[in-house]
Amino acid sequence: MFDKKELEKIKQKKDEWVKNTYSEHIKKHPERKKKFENLSWNEIKGLYTPDDISQFDYIKDIGFPGEYPYLRGIHPTKYRGRLWTFRQFSGFGSAEETNKRYKYLLDHGETGLSVAFDYPTLYGYDTDHVMSRGEFGKCGVAISSLKDMEILFNGIPIDKVTTSMTINGPATIVWAFYIANAENRNIDRRIIGGTIQNDILKEYIAQKSFIFPPEPSMRLIVDTFEFGYKEVPRWNTISISGYHIREAGSTAVQELAFTVGDGLEYVKWALKRGLNIDDFAPRLSYFFNAHNDFFEEIAKYRAARRIWAKEMKKLGAKKPRSLLMRFHTQTAGCSLSSQQPEINISRVTLQALAAVIGGTQSLHTNSMDEALALPSEKAARIALRTQQIIAQESGVTDTVDPLGGSYYIEWLTDKMEEETYQYWDKVDKLGGVLSAIEKGFYQREIANASYKYQKEIEEKKRIVVGVNKYQMDEPIEIPILKMDEKGEERQINRLKKIRKDRNNAKFERNLIALRKAAESDENLMPFILDCVHSYATLGETCQVLRDVFGEYVEPAVY
């Protein structure tokens, strides 16, 4: 807290500066805009002083790294002890093709794997299903069976390298593939580490790759919490994702409010099940976007840590680790331009730098060609090198929270926290998270923000280099990835062979057992694992759950 007399003195000097220096200067040299705003349309002043954070209490509001409220980071030494995990999101075509890409990235310094799945897999369909036609391997790797998972990680030390898997609706089944693959390699499930995204609320809000209605979907998530802390204790059983909310067009404030609100909703459902918060909370993780407004992104990460710690304490968490917000960050895919794709390297560098200064534990840097196609090897390597340059050459890893204490950063952090609670008040008035989803609240908020942002670009009120200013008419000269045209045929043949060679009597028994369990209130993970071990495919296992739970149809409430 600043001394009152000192604050009055500063305010007086500031008023004099505005009157005598600033105002006189802009008479001759006007500012570029009448009003400066960040990407959440908060007005940004030209100068910040202690007067802007006059209620600031250093110990209570900021504290120290590794101590409550964790604003300055969850570790006392940040990157002075250990760098973040270099985890490039990757997957395309067949398991064979993606396995080669993983080995390529690991050879070039990647330290963790991150699996992108194609849309049939995300929706719980096998490659040979009619709904999969034309979509094989296009936005990620196709995984239809345990055999595919075995090929995907063939030759990769999954007892030493952690793996993140971006999948939601059928997350329990795909996680079971990974666990079963480890067990078939005589690797104890208790030592494997990684993350399943498993965040279904953001699917209803933004990405839309949901399968089941909300209530059974939430049941499956709590099943993973319970099974995870008991059986796979090094695994993060959810990655609560703001990334896709931001990619759908939200502001940074909306991303923060909606994402942390979803996280607290999952905790409440687990508590309703009767789980102890300190058993499952240490394995909850987050996933944020790193967009273009450098300082806004840094403030977002700092505010997120403080809000989470405070709210978890209110919910009864006692272990310090339960209060820690650990998060992965990915640079903003929606900010990349297909025009002059090489300049995306500059965008990604600034976004990654914000994530690092903001204290991320894991980072993916997008490739320059991702507005055109899945990344080529060269583009993926450059994106990885971007992280390595920040880590090894920039100096930003040498001190903890280097922007802490900045009048602007602290004001902006407080502002984002304040607006987060305002959004939560609106959600509470609508009856809570699920009710707000059903009423289209989140969807409308994101759509309105996206429309406003796009309109500003079209009217050149917001500049996007190479898109609405500094355009060039030139051919694209970077290499574009081409996939193996025979991959889909191999995958379909593999499915035929699996169905023919497996013990179909055992397979049928396990599916029947899963159906009975789904109709009860038992934890489904052991039953899903049994199905997977008997080589039930993704689509066959998911269909059992579809039959019991039904499929979600989004209401037309917009």
Side-chain angles (χ1 to χ4, degrees):
M1 199 78 85
F2 290 97
D3 178 77
K4 284 187 178 180
K5 287 185 178 178
E6 185 66 19
L7 276 173
E8 286 172 10
K9 189 176 175 182
I10 291 169
K11 187 176 186 308
Q12 182 182 346
K13 292 295 291 182
K14 180 181 175 181
D15 291 342
E16 289 173 8
W17 173 81
V18 170
K19 181 181 178 182
N20 300 325
T21 303
Y22 175 76
S23 297
E24 289 301 313
H25 180 80
I26 63 173
K27 285 177 185 176
K28 297 178 183 178
H29 308 285
E31 292 183 332
R32 290 180 292 110
K33 303 176 187 177
K34 289 183 178 179
K35 186 163 74 169
F36 288 77
E37 295 177 317
N38 64 17
L39 293 181
S40 294
W41 293 289
N42 288 316
E43 185 170 357
I44 307 302
K45 296 191 294 187
L47 181 71
Y48 288 84
T49 70
D51 183 48
D52 292 290
I53 49 172
S54 59
Q55 301 305 309
F56 183 79
D57 183 320
Y58 183 88
I59 301 299
K60 176 174 162 288
D61 297 326
I62 289 193
F64 293 89
E67 292 184 358
Y68 184 85
Y70 303 102
L71 184 82
R72 306 199 71 178
I74 64 171
H75 300 302
T77 57
K78 200 180 180 184
Y79 307 129
R80 287 166 64 97
R82 176 187 168 191
L83 294 172
W84 62 92
T85 303
F86 297 20
R87 193 185 300 280
Q88 293 298 107
F89 188 47
S90 183
F92 60 92
S94 64
E96 291 90 343
E97 291 172 279
T98 299
N99 175 265
K100 289 177 186 175
R101 176 62 63 88
Y102 288 163
K103 289 174 179 174
Y104 174 85
L105 289 168
L106 289 168
D107 286 345
H108 283 85
E110 178 170 279
T111 55
L113 299 174
S114 184
V115 187
F117 297 96
D118 71 358
Y119 260 94
T121 306
L122 294 176
Y123 281 103
Y125 294 117
D126 294 334
T127 296
D128 58 357
H129 193 281
V130 65
M131 293 292 287
S132 303
R133 286 179 186 167
E135 293 295 332
F136 170 80
K138 286 194 174 176
C139 67
V141 62
I143 299 295
S144 298
S145 68
L146 173 56
K147 185 63 180 174
D148 294 334
M149 190 67 81
E150 290 166 351
I151 294 168
L152 184 64
F153 289 98
N154 180 44
I156 293 172
I158 58 174
D159 54 339
K160 296 181 176 66
V161 175
T162 59
T163 301
S164 174
M165 295 188 288
T166 301
I167 196 153
N168 299 284
T172 49
I173 303 167
V174 173
W175 187 33
F177 286 155
Y178 194 89
I179 296 168
N181 176 39
E183 291 174 337
N184 287 351
R185 290 169 59 173
N186 295 316
I187 298 170
D188 189 335
R189 66 170 70 157
R190 301 189 68 81
I191 69 168
I192 59 173
T195 305
I196 40 171
Q197 189 165 103
N198 203 23
D199 176 6
I200 204 63
L201 291 176
K202 74 96 171 60
E203 295 297 330
Y204 302 124
I205 290 171
Q207 185 166 250
K208 311 301 181 185
S209 60
F210 45 71
I211 301 174
F212 315 116
E215 297 226 353
S217 294
M218 296 294 279
R219 169 195 172 177
L220 288 170
I221 288 166
V222 179
D223 282 353
T224 62
F225 289 2
E226 184 178 34
F227 184 82
Y229 80 75
K230 290 178 180 177
E231 299 291 332
V232 200
R234 292 187 63 229
W235 200 272
N236 298 319
T237 44
I238 196 167
S239 175
I240 305 148
S241 175
Y243 185 83
H244 305 90
I245 291 172
R246 193 66 177 281
E247 291 291 291
S250 81
T251 66
V253 168
Q254 289 170 342
E255 179 193 357
L256 174 62
F258 300 168
T259 306
V260 182
D262 286 352
L264 294 171
E265 186 72 6
Y266 292 125
V267 172
K268 290 169 186 174
W269 276 72
L271 294 175
K272 273 194 274 183
R273 170 80 66 91
L275 303 188
N276 183 315
I277 194 168
D278 286 317
D279 286 337
F280 67 86
R283 300 317 304 186
L284 308 184
S285 65
Y286 275 84
F287 174 21
F288 287 112
N289 197 293
H291 213 288
N292 283 335
D293 193 303
F294 187 71
F295 296 113
E296 185 179 33
E297 295 305 299
I298 294 167
K300 179 183 73 182
Y301 307 131
R302 298 171 87 250
R305 278 192 294 268
R306 185 165 65 190
I307 294 168
W308 181 249
K310 290 196 298 190
E311 294 303 313
M312 290 298 281
K313 221 174 191 183
K314 289 179 190 174
L315 288 170
K318 300 288 191 297
K319 286 182 182 176
R321 190 169 173 82
S322 299
L323 308 179
L324 304 184
M325 174 179 275
R326 298 169 302 115
F327 65 92
H328 169 75
T329 311
Q330 181 174 340
T331 57
C334 62
S335 74
L336 303 182
S337 61
S338 58
Q339 303 92 329
Q340 303 176 52
E342 295 89 344
I343 64 175
N344 289 323
I345 297 171
S346 301
R347 289 190 179 100
V348 166
T349 302
L350 286 169
Q351 294 165 2
L353 189 61
V356 169
I357 292 175
T360 193
Q361 279 69 62
S362 171
L363 180 61
H364 164 91
T365 34
N366 285 330
S367 301
M368 63 178 169
D369 54 358
E370 289 193 48
L372 298 163
L374 293 170
S376 68
E377 278 194 355
K378 181 177 181 179
R381 187 178 70 246
I382 291 170
L384 178 59
R385 293 286 183 259
T386 300
Q387 292 199 49
Q388 292 163 341
I389 288 169
I390 292 171
Q392 306 293 343
E393 299 183 27
S394 71
V396 299
T397 59
D398 293 347
T399 190
V400 183
D401 190 29
L403 293 181
S406 154
Y407 306 129
Y408 176 43
I409 284 290
E410 300 304 348
W411 171 84
L412 188 54
T413 301
D414 287 350
K415 180 71 173 170
M416 297 186 82
E417 181 170 337
E418 176 191 332
E419 293 188 2
T420 292
Y421 282 98
Q422 289 171 1
Y423 264 116
W424 289 358
D425 287 342
K426 292 177 184 177
V427 170
D428 287 344
K429 286 174 184 174
L430 290 169
V433 173
L434 294 188
S435 178
I437 288 170
E438 291 283 351
K439 292 172 181 173
F441 169 73
Y442 298 104
Q443 299 92 318
R444 279 193 300 274
E445 287 289 315
I446 294 169
N448 290 340
S450 179
Y451 175 75
K452 184 176 179 180
Y453 179 73
Q454 183 60 33
K455 193 174 179 185
E456 287 182 350
I457 292 172
E458 291 171 3
E459 294 173 354
K460 294 194 177 180
K461 291 178 181 176
R462 205 175 283 278
I463 298 302
V464 180
V465 174
V467 175
N468 64 358
K469 196 171 184 179
Y470 314 116
Q471 298 103 321
M472 292 183 70
D473 185 13
E474 61 179 8
I476 293 169
E477 295 180 348
I478 62 171
I480 299 296
L481 177 72
K482 287 189 170 73
M483 289 183 283
D484 182 0
E485 294 179 1
K486 297 289 185 182
E488 184 173 11
E489 184 182 334
R490 278 201 312 274
Q491 175 93 345
I492 290 172
N493 288 336
R494 185 154 57 234
L495 279 166
K496 288 177 181 175
K497 190 172 189 308
I498 286 168
R499 292 177 182 130
K500 179 184 175 187
D501 293 348
R502 68 192 174 192
N503 182 332
N504 274 294
K506 183 179 179 183
F507 153 78
E508 292 286 355
R509 284 197 303 273
N510 287 335
L511 286 188
I512 291 168
L514 174 61
R515 182 183 298 274
K516 288 180 179 176
E519 290 167 346
S520 71
D521 58 1
E522 291 189 75
N523 189 306
L524 297 187
M525 275 307 300
F527 298 93
I528 292 169
L529 262 170
D530 287 343
C531 292
V532 164
H533 268 301
S534 62
Y535 285 87
T537 68
L538 173 72
E540 291 165 339
T541 310
C542 201
Q543 189 58 48
V544 171
L545 301 181
R546 276 187 164 96
D547 291 343
V548 176
F549 299 149
E551 292 189 73
Y552 182 65
V553 177
E554 189 171 34
V557 292
Y558 307 115

